[in-house]
Amino acid sequence: MPIRFKKLSYIYNKDMPYAHKALDQIDLEINEGIITAIIGETGSGKSTLVEHLNALLLPSKGSLEILDYNIVAGQKQKFLKPLRKDVGLVFQFSEYQLFEESVIKDVAFGPLNFGFAPQEALQKAAEALKMVGIGEEYYNVSPLELSGGQKRRVAIAGILSCDPKIIVLDEPTAGLDP
Ligand SMILES: Nc1ncnc2c1ncn2[C@@H]1O[C@H](COP(=O)(O)OP(=O)(O)OP(=O)(O)O)[C@@H](O)[C@H]1O
Ligand SMILES: [Mg+2]
């Protein structure tokens, strides 16, 4: 099943005097098995768009199909947990995504939360940290003590450790240049 936005609109602060329509009737289809990049100027709505992919934001109007999930404006969503395992989202400001007392605990949090045994979760965390080039010497360091680029790597590892079917990266190379 591809990703399909159908006439999706999103309004920040809906029904308030300072309401702001960030997405206006978006129709977009993304097929399976490909890497897609979205470009647009600052404030054009890229983050707003991708934050719909794991229902961090819910559409104000229209709908979104992703994998076997159908997210429809105004309907209560009952499948947030499996959706968030299947669709991993690395935030634009990934330092806000880190919260545990150590790097290894942070990366193991996802697998633990999704039902893996503690030992398995640690194993998955170690594999993911290896993939992003964070060595064992950082396992017990607080995420708050890392550099911006290291935080981003750890945030990406925290998504990879959950084996998502779709990975969404909001400006993934910020702080990692070149
Ligand atoms: N929490 C919020 N409350 C109100 N308006 C918001 C909020 N977040 C974003 N907006 C507005 O929605 C629009 C789209 O913002 P968004 O963050 O999606 O843009 P972007 O394309 O990701 O920009 P950038 O390249 O700077 O990351 C902007 O006009 C922004 O001011
Ligand atoms: Mg953005």
Side-chain angles (χ1 to χ4, degrees):
M1 167 76 80
I3 297 169
R4 197 175 287 133
F5 285 79
K6 289 183 177 168
K7 299 251 172 304
L8 186 149
S9 299
Y10 186 77
I11 303 164
Y12 284 103
N13 307 308
K14 201 165 180 250
D15 302 326
M16 309 277 255
Y18 40 89
H20 178 83
K21 190 179 250 186
L23 298 177
D24 191 6
Q25 301 198 53
I26 301 292
D27 282 310
L28 170 68
E29 211 170 295
I30 298 173
N31 286 323
E32 236 172 284
I34 57 171
I35 296 172
T36 301
I38 297 171
I39 57 172
E41 61 190 45
T42 45
S44 60
K46 304 177 296 293
S47 294
T48 307
L49 184 88
V50 300
E51 284 170 16
H52 279 80
L53 293 169
N54 74 349
L56 201 60
L57 295 178
L58 296 169
S60 306
K61 281 189 196 148
S63 66
L64 163 66
E65 291 167 17
I66 181 163
L67 299 168
D68 291 327
Y69 308 99
N70 191 18
I71 305 168
V72 181
Q75 285 189 5
K76 204 165 186 323
Q77 314 302 334
K78 298 179 195 119
F79 44 69
L80 291 184
K81 195 162 178 179
L83 169 65
R84 287 180 183 155
K85 183 188 179 308
D86 286 343
V87 183
L89 172 64
V90 180
F91 296 166
Q92 180 165 1
F93 302 101
S94 49
E95 51 274 29
Y96 297 152
Q97 198 157 348
L98 306 172
F99 62 94
E100 272 284 9
E101 63 191 33
S102 69
V103 164
I104 189 81
K105 277 192 181 175
D106 208 291
V107 180
F109 178 83
L112 264 181
N113 188 38
F114 294 127
F116 285 94
Q119 215 41 47
E120 262 179 308
L122 287 174
Q123 179 65 34
K124 286 186 155 303
E127 283 166 17
L129 284 165
K130 193 167 178 203
M131 270 192 257
V132 300
I134 294 285
E136 284 180 32
E137 66 275 24
Y138 287 106
Y139 284 10
N140 294 309
V141 169
S142 160
L144 301 177
E145 289 169 29
L146 301 174
S147 72
Q150 289 169 332
K151 281 179 185 158
R152 185 151 286 268
R153 286 175 191 245
V154 171
I156 293 171
I159 296 304
L160 294 176
S161 63
C162 302
D163 293 332
K165 293 178 181 155
I166 296 174
I167 302 176
V168 184
L169 303 155
D170 196 351
E171 309 216 8
T173 57
L176 291 176
D177 324 273

